[in-house]
Amino acid sequence: AEFVVDTSDGYASIEAPIFVISKFPKSAGGILYPDFSSYSWPESECPAESPGSHVWHRVEADSLASGAQPWASKSEKLFWRGAATSVYRQQIVSRIMALSGVNVSMMEWVVGSEGQRQVVKSGDNTCVPVSEWCKHRFLANLPGNTMALALKYRLLCGSVVLSSPLLYHEWYYSQLKDGVHYVEVDLHWTSAESMLSELRGPASAVAEAIAKASLAWAKTHLTEDGFDCYWLRLIQLASTHFPTPSLSSDALPLEDAMFATGASHVSAGFGSDKLSALATSQDSTHVDAIVVIPARSADIGLMEHARRSWLAPGEGSEIISHRHFFVLASG
């Protein structure tokens, strides 16, 4: 293979030039890329939340709105919700629950009667939406099997993130600084009680400064544009090390939708160039199905506009007629 993308939680040690979600920072190989939750994480939605609540641009907007509340109005409790995805979490959560001034609970994820949606059971029978995490000054960050996917959610809150050591790194961890963007506690959280006491008391101004710094960093880097920029630069750099692909003479652009007809494999795909050509043509084209894949879920509105206007029968543009129309996106 010329290009390998691994979708597992990551590796402790890796030497191959494989695209991975997380790895030990000192691993010789492994090329870090943004995981799926940078786009959408539907499995983490609370039952009371509407489907699509954890598409990234919605999480970002909700968290920033909630995190913008004044520092003085936030609860001083240490907050955490998460699933028992690792032995470490199962062992450490009970210790954190014994600390003073905490709101910590393990959650059990199970498949609900509605199918793919998830329902939750937890210690206090609650699943707390991400935006409500931001109502607390202090947020615990505990790694799961490897990393903690929700760290980026916590950084958007304008709160102080107290984190176990970041043994596995995601793509952006190298930019975070202990004492600037978050506060690292020891692996067993034995220092957490005294650290919280300090941050709630004599060092409260330091705590507020860390919260502001993490929010400012997240607002700049953990955005859809930030993810896209990273992906672009990553592919540009990676392309200098991978073999140049050889395309056959009948290769089509990736942007084109592909429709096969019998053995001849005739393409009736429509990229932007083909649509432009059709718009100036007097000939009409009929396809069985049109499949539109927006670059982002936020573009669905534009696709729906197209469906109601220039793709709709009787609107004066019968150039492209179709039986079915599909938009493939999760927003």
Side-chain angles (χ1 to χ4, degrees):
E2 297 178 346
F3 190 89
V4 180
V5 178
D6 183 89
T7 59
S8 69
D9 284 351
Y11 295 90
S13 179
I14 183 171
E15 297 183 2
I18 296 175
F19 280 68
V20 295
I21 290 174
S22 72
K23 66 171 186 174
F24 272 3
K26 293 185 179 180
S27 292
I31 302 169
L32 293 171
Y33 71 92
D35 67 89
F36 61 89
S37 64
S38 300
Y39 172 70
S40 178
W41 193 6
E43 295 86 358
S44 66
E45 295 170 359
C46 290
E49 293 182 284
S50 60
S53 296
H54 287 196
V55 172
W56 183 255
H57 71 88
R58 296 181 182 176
V59 173
E60 182 185 8
D62 292 345
S63 297
L64 289 177
S66 181
Q69 64 179 295
W71 175 258
S73 67
K74 293 191 176 191
S75 163
E76 284 198 341
K77 288 187 174 181
L78 174 69
F79 178 87
W80 182 82
R81 285 295 186 279
T85 55
S86 66
V87 174
Y88 173 74
R89 278 189 180 178
Q90 296 172 34
Q91 294 175 340
I92 207 68
V93 165
S94 59
R95 298 184 184 182
I96 300 176
M97 292 176 70
L99 300 175
S100 58
V102 302
N103 181 348
V104 172
S105 179
M106 193 82 77
M107 299 190 300
E108 177 188 356
W109 299 86
V110 295
V111 178
S113 58
E114 63 271 45
Q116 295 302 314
R117 286 277 290 164
Q118 304 285 320
V119 295
V120 179
K121 298 177 181 178
S122 70
D124 57 2
N125 297 315
T126 60
C127 177
V128 181
V130 172
S131 60
E132 294 187 21
W133 299 3
C134 303
K135 295 179 179 179
H136 304 275
R137 292 186 184 181
F138 304 101
L139 303 175
N141 184 68
L142 307 176
N145 288 321
T146 53
M147 70 300 190
L149 289 180
L151 174 57
K152 54 185 169 292
Y153 292 180
R154 297 180 177 109
L155 292 171
L156 280 169
C157 275
S159 303
V160 177
V161 177
L162 275 71
S163 179
S164 301
L166 303 174
L167 301 180
Y168 285 82
H169 276 203
E170 292 185 80
W171 64 278
Y172 62 92
Y173 285 16
S174 63
Q175 302 300 308
L176 301 177
K177 296 180 180 179
D178 178 20
V180 177
H181 304 110
Y182 72 103
V183 176
E184 183 175 292
V185 300
D186 64 281
L187 192 62
H188 301 291
W189 281 68
T190 54
S191 62
E193 187 78 73
S194 60
M195 191 173 293
L196 280 168
S197 179
E198 187 77 9
L199 292 171
R200 287 166 175 159
S204 59
V206 174
E208 185 174 1
I210 293 173
K212 289 180 178 179
S214 66
L215 176 59
W217 185 90
K219 288 171 66 175
T220 302
H221 298 86
L222 300 181
T223 64
E224 288 187 327
D225 286 341
F227 298 147
D228 289 349
C229 182
Y230 180 88
W231 265 115
L232 176 62
R233 186 59 177 154
L234 180 65
I235 293 173
Q236 288 175 337
L237 291 173
S239 67
T240 64
H241 300 282
F242 288 111
T244 302
S246 57
L247 301 177
S248 62
S249 58
D250 60 347
L252 293 170
L254 181 63
E255 291 81 3
D256 285 2
M258 297 287 292
F259 297 92
T261 303
S264 60
H265 296 283
V266 177
S267 170
F270 298 104
S272 58
D273 54 339
K274 293 187 178 181
L275 286 174
S276 299
L278 282 171
T280 58
S281 171
Q282 300 301 313
D283 300 325
S284 62
T285 300
H286 176 80
V287 296
D288 186 62
I290 294 178
V291 180
V292 178
I293 307 176
R296 298 176 180 166
S297 59
D299 296 332
I300 290 179
L302 180 61
M303 298 302 103
E304 286 301 315
H305 172 73
R307 184 178 186 176
R308 293 191 302 268
S309 56
W310 59 273
L311 286 175
E315 292 295 324
S317 177
E318 304 266 342
I319 294 174
I320 307 173
S321 60
H322 58 280
R323 294 180 58 197
H324 305 288
F325 182 92
F326 301 96
V327 176
L328 301 184
S330 65

